[in-house]
Amino acid sequence: QVQLVESGGGLVQAGGSLRLSCAASGSIFSINAMYWYRQAPGKQRELVATIADSGRTNYVDSVKGRFTIFRDSAKSTVYLQMNSLKPEDTAVYYCAVDVAVGPSAGDYWGQGTQVTVSS
């Protein structure tokens, strides 16, 4: 009962910036956490950033200081601001939400958006 629609991916040169967005809609009672994952060709899916309901954030070491996860006041959209992009950031990025309570409780995923960073 929950839909996540991602946008904001694209092609940028190394050192550039992108902002990814993930808009949630549907029957959402409570969100425990929101996440950004990425999967590069030939590699396993990697958790990049987390924002808990409390607002606490966490990042994989490789993006600390460069990426920022945040959400709007209604908690309906989660963003990933990506600065100082590197070629190794190239991947398909997926948002996910953990709906903690209610009829739609469970984990939901966006469709993915491609980020390509050229050297």
Side-chain angles (χ1 to χ4, degrees):
Q1 302 291 83
V2 177
Q3 298 281 337
L4 301 179
V5 179
E6 301 180 32
S7 62
L11 173 64
V12 298
Q13 294 191 41
S17 297
L18 285 172
R19 179 178 291 183
L20 307 183
S21 64
C22 175
S25 63
S27 300
I28 302 174
F29 178 78
S30 180
I31 296 177
N32 185 60
M34 301 178 178
Y35 313 88
W36 284 99
Y37 288 81
R38 67 186 180 187
Q39 188 164 21
K43 296 184 178 180
Q44 293 185 336
R45 185 178 60 195
E46 175 185 42
L47 177 60
V48 176
T50 302
I51 183 165
D53 188 57
S54 65
R56 180 186 293 269
T57 58
N58 193 45
Y59 304 89
V60 67
D61 286 346
S62 61
V63 309
K64 287 181 178 177
R66 300 189 297 118
F67 290 11
T68 303
I69 185 171
F70 62 100
R71 63 196 179 196
D72 65 5
S73 60
K75 301 180 181 180
S76 62
T77 304
V78 62
Y79 303 88
L80 186 68
Q81 178 66 45
M82 304 184 293
N83 299 324
S84 301
L85 282 161
K86 304 175 180 180
E88 51 263 44
D89 295 318
T90 295
V92 177
Y93 284 71
Y94 299 91
C95 65
V97 298
D98 176 6
V99 180
V101 178
S104 299
D107 297 329
Y108 296 86
W109 293 82
Q111 82 280 7
T113 186
Q114 177 71 48
V115 172
T116 302
V117 184
S118 62
S119 61

